[in-house]
């Protein structure tokens, strides 16, 4: 079992979750700033106002990465720091742009390869007010393309670009469930506006077309000179049939992967949405115009894979609910025999099951002809970790075990299944703002002491990755 000798590994974070400094140096507001201000939206009533204060601690974060042996770091840019109002005719904020240019330079000086995500959910708030943000396919696409161009131009040393992070979350959680910004939903107890039957499909279409636009710009105007690569980051949980002997559950598994992963990946690798989605959603699923198809089809240089957990899938009888986004099935942690997929964590949706990781990498590889994969996120929270005394938090053995099992599952997929994985990022470098869960859920390999000046202290898991990768990466 081994990994290629140029394999990159490190940790991942996202701007809104770690930076804080939301009003510093001319940053504009994002939909998450606005969402967090609404009472009841965030579990502990918190927000990213201070978070880990990473905007003011870049040197410390780089030293931390270095001390843990990371060879790469995945982080996201805050669009609203660079173009505070977000639009293609709006002014650029030089201070915000310079901040990231310097950060990239300093990472490279420390021998750490930057993987830069252009948008990790924090859409500039003004674009939401101006034209409905992701609901406006043409305007959003043009504004995003402009923003992407500004970034490509300013940061030629970046060789790995990700357009969007987990569009499934932006669309389903933001426009159907209403749990994430901008919080729209058909459920009027959650949101005064929104239509969960149509908006997730429209906003996903917007993100795909905007991704295609940014990729075209990179390929036409920057790639040949800068020599980098660009792709999208998709989340996806692995699936096992609730009853492996029931063909309907086996089919439901496939449908679940199509409704979450292939929803985005099929248009990119195959040119259209999956048939199962068209069948269930009919004309609610947008149709790609010829121009859009030309933008989206073939637009990934690599597949960014975010992965955390597995589920048992049980088919549902009857006709699908019009609000359904999953493919008309139940998503469970127990199978027909009563076996549980993995132990509980602090995240209600996450239970460790490393076997699923290998399985899913194989599914992606077969469906999309063995693309180059970067595992752009993988990690776990721990049940009640936040309630433990600090010395106990630092002994995060469950997380150590999680990383060992998942990284080995990945190496197995590379060695035995022919899967082409070339990089891995643990989520996350440090505890941070876990969106609607606030700060109660910790995902970091480093503890962040929010009461004492955001001090970072490595947990046991922070130091388990270097020996793990040293043992797996082939010597030349
Ligand atoms: C995926 C998201 O990209 C990240 O922002 C989040 O914190 C982790 N999952 C953990 O939930």
């Amino acid at each position: 079992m081994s990994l290629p000798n140029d394999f990159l590994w490190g940790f991942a974070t996202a701007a809104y979750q770690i930076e804080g400094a939301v009003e510093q140096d001319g940053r504009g507001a994002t939909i998450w700033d606005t969402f967090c201000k609404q009472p009841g939206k965030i579990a502990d009533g918190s927000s990213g106002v201070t978070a880990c204060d990473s905007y003011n601690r870049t040197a410390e974060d780089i030293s931390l990465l270095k001390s843990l042996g990371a060879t790469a770091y995945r982080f996201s840019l805050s669009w609203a720091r660079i173009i505070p109002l977000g639009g293609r005719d709006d002014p650029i904020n030089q201070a915000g742009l310079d901040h990231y240019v310097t950060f990239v330079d300093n990472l490279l000086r420390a021998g750490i390869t930057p993987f830069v995500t252009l948008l990790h959910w924090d859409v500039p708030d003004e674009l939401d007010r101006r034209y409905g943000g992701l609901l406006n396919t043409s305007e959003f696409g043009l504004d995003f393309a402009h923003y992407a161009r500004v970034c490509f131009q300013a940061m030629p040393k970046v060789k790995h670009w990700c357009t969007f992070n987990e569009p499934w979350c932006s669309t389903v959680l933001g426009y159907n469930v209403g749990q994430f910004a901008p919080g729209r939903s058909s459920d009027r107890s959650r949101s005064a506006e929104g239509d969960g039957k149509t908006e997730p499909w429209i906003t996903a279409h917007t993100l795909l077309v905007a991704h295609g636009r940014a990729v075209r710009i990179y390929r036409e105007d920057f790639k040949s000179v800068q020599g980098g690569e660009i792709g999208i980051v998709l989340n996806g949980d692995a699936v096992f049939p609730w009853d492996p002997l029931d063909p309907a559950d086996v089919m439901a598994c496939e449908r679940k992967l199509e409704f979450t992963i292939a929803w985005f990946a099929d248009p990119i690798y195959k040119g259209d949405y999956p048939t199962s989605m068209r069948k269930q959603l009919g004309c609610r699923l947008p149709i790609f115009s010829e121009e859009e198809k030309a933008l989206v089809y073939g637009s990934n240089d690599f597949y960014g894979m975010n992965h955390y957990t597995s589920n048992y899938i049980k088919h549902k009888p009857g006709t699908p609910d019009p609000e359904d986004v999953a493919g008309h099935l139940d998503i469970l942690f127990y199978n027909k025999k009563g076996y549980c997929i993995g132990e509980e964590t602090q995240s209600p949706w996450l239970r460790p099951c490393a076997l699923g990781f290998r399985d899913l990498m194989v599914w992606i590889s077969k469906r999309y002809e063995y693309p180059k994969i970067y595992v752009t996120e993988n990690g776990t929270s721990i049940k009640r970790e936040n309630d433990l005394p600090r010395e106990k938090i630092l002994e995060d053995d469950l997380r150590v075990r999680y990383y060992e099992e998942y990284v080995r599952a990945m190496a197995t997929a590379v060695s035995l299944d022919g899967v082409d994985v070339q990089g891995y990022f643990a989520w996350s470098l440090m505890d941070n703002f876990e969106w609607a869960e606030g700060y109660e859920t910790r995902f970091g390999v480093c503890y962040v002491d929010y009461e004492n000046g955001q001090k970072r202290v490595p947990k046991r898991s922070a130091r388990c990755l270097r020996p793990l990768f040293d043992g797996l990466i082939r010597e030349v």
Side-chain angles (χ1 to χ4, degrees):
M1 214 170 37
S2 65
L3 295 167
N5 70 306
D6 54 355
F7 193 91
L8 293 167
W9 71 271
F11 303 91
T13 60
Y16 192 72
Q17 295 180 273
I18 65 161
E19 283 183 352
V22 295
E23 282 174 2
Q24 210 172 315
D25 293 346
R27 175 190 180 275
T30 74
I31 54 172
W32 274 91
D33 294 292
T34 306
F35 187 66
C36 292
K37 286 186 186 143
Q38 297 176 40
K41 298 297 183 195
I42 310 298
D44 54 6
S46 67
S47 73
V49 165
T50 311
C52 309
D53 194 30
S54 281
Y55 185 75
N56 295 303
R57 289 164 195 254
T58 49
E60 196 180 329
D61 287 352
I62 293 173
S63 308
L64 189 59
L65 285 161
K66 202 142 177 67
S67 73
L68 303 179
T71 55
Y73 180 48
R74 173 173 175 245
F75 63 98
S76 79
L77 308 177
S78 165
W79 181 347
R81 277 196 200 285
I82 295 173
I83 308 174
L85 299 176
R88 54 199 183 278
D89 297 319
D90 295 321
I92 291 175
N93 176 33
Q94 200 56 43
L97 190 54
D98 289 348
H99 168 83
Y100 293 117
V101 172
T102 308
F103 186 55
V104 165
D105 282 348
N106 291 342
L107 277 169
L108 287 166
R109 216 166 283 135
I112 298 165
T113 302
F115 275 63
V116 181
T117 306
L118 288 165
L119 188 68
H120 196 122
W121 306 348
D122 47 351
V123 173
D125 200 45
E126 171 62 17
L127 302 186
D128 217 42
R129 291 167 203 260
R130 209 176 264 174
Y131 53 69
L134 301 182
L135 289 167
N136 191 324
T137 302
S138 52
E139 285 298 312
F140 183 87
L142 293 171
D143 284 344
F144 181 72
H146 167 75
Y147 157 62
R149 181 185 288 283
V150 169
C151 298
F152 300 149
Q153 187 105 47
M155 286 169 261
K157 294 180 198 164
V158 173
K159 306 298 177 202
H160 312 273
W161 291 98
C162 306
T163 52
F164 295 110
N165 179 73
E166 300 196 351
W168 182 92
C169 290
S170 309
T171 55
V172 169
L173 304 180
Y175 292 85
N176 173 280
V177 183
Q179 190 190 353
F180 278 12
R184 293 172 67 91
S185 172
S186 302
D187 178 351
R188 290 288 163 263
S189 68
R190 270 190 186 265
S191 165
E193 284 173 32
D195 179 2
K197 295 185 291 304
T198 54
E199 293 183 2
W201 319 114
I202 297 167
T203 51
H205 200 75
T206 300
L207 287 169
L208 280 165
V209 174
H211 157 83
R213 282 196 190 284
V215 172
R216 177 173 289 175
I217 289 173
Y218 189 68
R219 287 183 178 164
E220 284 182 356
D221 298 345
F222 298 94
K223 195 177 161 100
S224 61
V225 182
Q226 299 184 359
E229 55 180 359
I230 186 162
I232 198 167
V233 169
L234 303 178
N235 56 302
D237 305 335
V239 292
F240 297 98
W242 181 76
D243 177 0
L245 300 177
D246 185 345
D249 285 353
V250 175
M251 268 164 60
C253 279
E254 193 69 5
R255 217 162 49 242
K256 166 71 166 51
L257 295 176
E258 289 175 346
F259 268 72
T260 43
I261 297 175
W263 178 13
F264 299 96
D266 270 19
I268 292 174
Y269 289 98
K270 293 170 179 280
D272 204 356
Y273 292 118
T275 316
S276 60
M277 294 186 73
R278 180 68 62 201
K279 193 166 162 231
Q280 181 177 320
L281 303 167
C283 60
R284 284 184 286 142
L285 192 65
I287 290 171
F288 287 99
S289 68
E290 283 310 312
E291 193 211 344
E292 289 172 342
K293 189 178 278 192
L295 285 165
V296 175
Y297 182 43
S299 59
N300 251 6
D301 293 336
F302 61 84
Y303 183 106
M305 178 180 184
N306 282 6
H307 178 76
Y308 290 85
T309 193
S310 301
N311 292 115
Y312 290 117
I313 304 297
K314 188 172 193 264
H315 76 280
K316 268 190 192 167
T319 46
D321 184 319
E323 291 283 333
D324 175 74
V325 288
H328 193 46
L329 43 89
D330 285 317
I331 299 168
L332 306 164
F333 284 129
Y334 289 85
N335 71 4
K336 190 179 178 189
K337 290 201 163 142
Y339 294 148
C340 178
I341 209 143
E343 61 197 292
E344 255 189 292
T345 68
Q346 184 64 25
S347 313
W349 51 271
L350 198 176
R351 291 189 179 220
C353 171
L355 186 64
F357 190 23
R358 177 178 172 187
D359 251 41
L360 188 60
M361 273 187 276
V362 171
W363 184 86
I364 291 168
S365 298
K366 284 191 177 151
R367 190 169 178 110
Y368 304 120
E369 295 174 16
Y370 292 81
K372 178 204 288 195
I373 296 177
Y374 292 114
V375 175
T376 34
E377 280 181 37
N378 177 236
T380 191
S381 58
I382 297 178
K383 186 88 188 155
R384 284 188 280 277
E385 186 178 18
N386 194 42
D387 305 331
L388 296 172
R390 176 165 136 182
E391 12 10 303
K392 288 281 170 231
I393 295 191
L394 301 182
E395 298 165 1
D396 59 340
D397 291 327
L398 184 134
R399 192 171 283 112
V400 170
R401 232 180 313 130
Y402 181 97
Y403 283 127
E404 280 175 354
E405 289 175 8
Y406 271 77
V407 169
R408 286 190 195 287
M410 171 178 74
T412 308
V414 170
S415 308
L416 301 184
D417 306 323
V419 166
D420 182 16
V421 187
Q422 299 196 12
Y424 174 94
F425 296 86
W427 183 272
S428 175
L429 175 61
M430 59 191 126
D431 296 331
N432 58 50
F433 177 69
E434 179 56 9
W435 309 109
E437 305 292 320
Y439 295 95
E440 284 166 3
T441 303
R442 294 177 178 267
F443 265 92
V445 298
C446 294
Y447 168 77
V448 175
D449 190 344
Y450 299 112
E451 262 87 67
N452 289 297
Q454 295 12 60
K455 191 168 171 331
R456 292 101 160 97
V457 187
K459 303 177 193 173
R460 206 169 265 169
S461 61
R463 308 215 185 273
C464 79
L465 287 152
R466 191 197 322 225
L468 195 54
F469 281 106
D470 280 353
L472 287 167
I473 296 174
R474 273 195 303 269
E475 299 286 324
V476 221

